Amino acid sequence: MIASDEADTESIIVTAGGDGTSLEVQTALFKEAMQGPKHHDAITNHITILRLPLGTGNDGTDGHKIEETIELLRGGLVFANERAVRIYPEKEPSEADILASADGKNPAKYGDPDFLPPWYAFNIASLGLDAYVVHMTNTVKKKLPGNFYHLCVPLSGFTYDKVFPLGNAKIEMFGKDNVKTDEINMPFTLMAFGASGYRVYGGGHKVLPDENNFCLAPKISLWNLIKENHRFVDGSFKGTPIASLHTVEKIRLSYDKSILMQCDGETVMLTPAHFPLIIELTDPCLRVLKPVSL
């Protein structure tokens, strides 16, 4: 079916997979919506996306299990145009600059070379340890059958600092109307930027357990990482020194080392040449189904 912006035409796109499938389809639609007013109207007002949870990771789909999706469809529903997270270097670097600042690492080892900026996430974009875990998850899944990777991947936390030593970060936060609200200068273990609050990743881990859409965890020792890891699963880090939560429209991140970033399960290696990096919320765009609020 060809989508149309005619008033009496409606289309639905059903994705059947996990977060990677959902990301690919939504990114293509979002970029198409940016091609002009007619494209934008067709995609925001006449196309609805239904994201079936049929993959390994289903954090950005409509329900974590197909049973949840069925319950969603049985209930009262409304259309909702959701925001996305857009990430891009403030000044786009050349390939030569990226390789020259890569600390001897091969960026192609850590992600698809064709995954190019601007990057989008429709659930959560994050940098640091959790992006490294995502990379290890993707690597192990290709080599071992079944769910064996669940046993291996947590061990990746033990090697993260050796592979990607922590650098110095300058994190500038902005609210509405591009007003700067805060600045933090420190090494960090992870940061997560969601399309909204109340977001999960990594199989339901509550990294954004409330209405705030930005989580920042300062440098965490290996011992504390082991001891407190469960708090990033159930969201109980809230109100503790382990991590802070913020509401932001945009982040401007400066960083002096190479680091991994993941966007809805797709990883890319960033080098100092990519920074300053802009991470921001887009205007509402893609239309999805949401339950009627009680």
Side-chain angles (χ1 to χ4, degrees):
M1 178 182 291
I2 299 176
S4 169
D5 61 353
E6 295 181 6
D8 59 348
T9 301
E10 292 290 338
S11 303
I12 185 167
I13 294 177
V14 180
T15 64
D19 294 328
T21 302
S22 180
L23 174 65
E24 183 176 1
V25 173
Q26 290 181 104
T27 298
L29 279 172
F30 191 98
K31 289 182 176 180
E32 187 65 24
M34 299 299 107
Q35 296 305 306
K38 190 170 183 177
H39 295 76
H40 189 272
D41 180 63
I43 289 171
T44 59
N45 297 319
H46 299 280
I47 297 176
T48 304
I49 305 170
L50 178 63
R51 302 156 295 189
L52 298 182
L54 299 177
T56 303
N58 297 314
D59 295 302
T61 52
D62 294 305
H64 288 93
K65 297 180 180 179
I66 196 67
E67 292 81 6
E68 293 180 28
T69 307
I70 293 171
E71 286 302 311
L72 170 70
L73 297 175
R74 284 176 175 170
L77 296 171
V78 295
F79 292 132
N81 292 92
E82 290 199 324
R83 306 178 81 177
V85 181
R86 178 168 47 221
I87 310 102
Y88 56 92
E90 192 170 75
K91 180 180 179 181
E92 187 169 352
S94 68
E95 185 175 348
D97 289 339
I98 293 171
L99 292 174
S101 63
D103 304 323
K105 298 180 179 66
N106 179 9
K109 176 182 177 181
Y110 296 98
D112 183 351
D114 294 326
F115 189 48
L116 300 172
W119 300 285
Y120 292 90
F122 299 87
N123 183 41
I124 292 175
S126 59
L127 290 89
L129 173 61
D130 56 312
Y132 184 69
V133 171
V134 170
H135 163 68
M136 293 300 295
T137 298
N138 294 341
T139 300
V140 173
K141 281 195 298 185
K142 293 176 183 177
K143 298 180 179 179
L144 298 174
N147 293 323
F148 188 75
Y149 72 90
H150 284 299
L151 300 176
C152 303
V153 170
L155 298 178
S156 62
F158 293 112
T159 62
Y160 171 66
D161 285 355
K162 295 181 177 62
V163 179
F164 287 95
L166 300 190
N168 297 305
K170 177 182 177 182
I171 304 147
E172 299 171 87
M173 304 182 196
F174 298 84
K176 292 182 179 179
D177 300 319
N178 209 35
V179 175
K180 187 172 177 179
T181 57
D182 202 356
E183 179 179 320
I184 298 175
N185 294 271
M186 67 176 189
F188 66 88
T189 294
L190 71 86
M191 65 165 60
F193 193 118
S196 69
Y198 297 105
R199 296 276 176 162
V200 299
Y201 68 175
H205 294 187
K206 296 180 180 179
V207 70
L208 297 171
D210 61 15
E211 69 280 358
N212 292 288
N213 70 319
F214 181 61
C215 173
L216 178 64
K219 182 178 180 180
I220 303 173
S221 69
L222 179 59
W223 167 245
N224 278 335
L225 184 63
I226 296 170
K227 184 177 70 171
E228 306 290 0
N229 180 63
H230 70 281
R231 295 189 180 276
F232 288 99
V233 177
D234 60 18
S236 62
F237 67 85
K238 181 179 177 180
T240 74
I242 300 172
S244 58
L245 291 164
H246 311 265
T247 295
V248 298
E249 289 286 315
K250 183 176 82 171
I251 295 290
R252 183 176 185 268
L253 173 64
S254 302
Y255 198 67
D256 62 357
K257 294 280 189 181
S258 293
I259 190 170
L260 285 187
M261 176 177 72
Q262 70 84 29
C263 301
D264 292 353
E266 188 74 29
T267 59
V268 61
M269 191 184 101
L270 305 175
T271 76
H274 286 100
F275 297 96
L277 190 74
I278 304 299
I279 310 173
E280 64 185 11
L281 291 174
T282 69
D283 291 332
C285 185
L286 303 187
R287 193 170 72 173
V288 299
L289 295 171
K290 292 288 186 181
V292 176
S293 298
L294 298 178

